[in-house]
Amino acid sequence: MYSKVYLIADGKLTKIGVSKHPSKRLKQVCKNGRIIITCWLPFVAFKIEHYLHKKFQSRRVKRTGDGGTEWFALTTLQKGYTIVLLWLLHNLVMGVCIAIATAIGFIAFIT
């Protein structure tokens, strides 16, 4: 399951994608890029990626090669919005996972 949404920066362009291994993906799509953020978002990673691609459709830049349609010329504000959104979603998912694990632990303890 591809459960990590990531942003890769390469010069003035940003790639929004989904992968099991974003660091490996980085090496596949660009030589001088860097990962800005990676967020574990199981079950919704593709929906979040689709949302962001649609939101920034007007900023899309076509590049050749693998993943060439997922690059965007985002403004600093748009990058910041995306980073905060992914960070909040990641923490929401982690909070739900912790709550479920706590509930399971409590049920196991009382039974």
Side-chain angles (χ1 to χ4, degrees), residues 56-103:
F56 299 125
Q57 178 64 35
S58 66
R59 308 290 297 181
R60 190 181 297 265
V61 175
K62 180 77 171 145
R63 285 180 54 157
T64 58
D66 190 20
T69 62
E70 298 181 325
W71 290 90
F72 301 84
L74 300 180
T75 66
T76 302
L77 185 61
Q78 289 169 327
K79 279 185 202 174
Y81 163 85
T82 306
I83 291 166
V84 169
L85 175 68
L86 291 176
W87 182 83
L88 288 171
L89 289 169
H90 172 77
N91 284 294
L92 177 65
V93 167
M94 291 304 292
V96 169
C97 290
I98 290 168
I100 291 169
T102 302

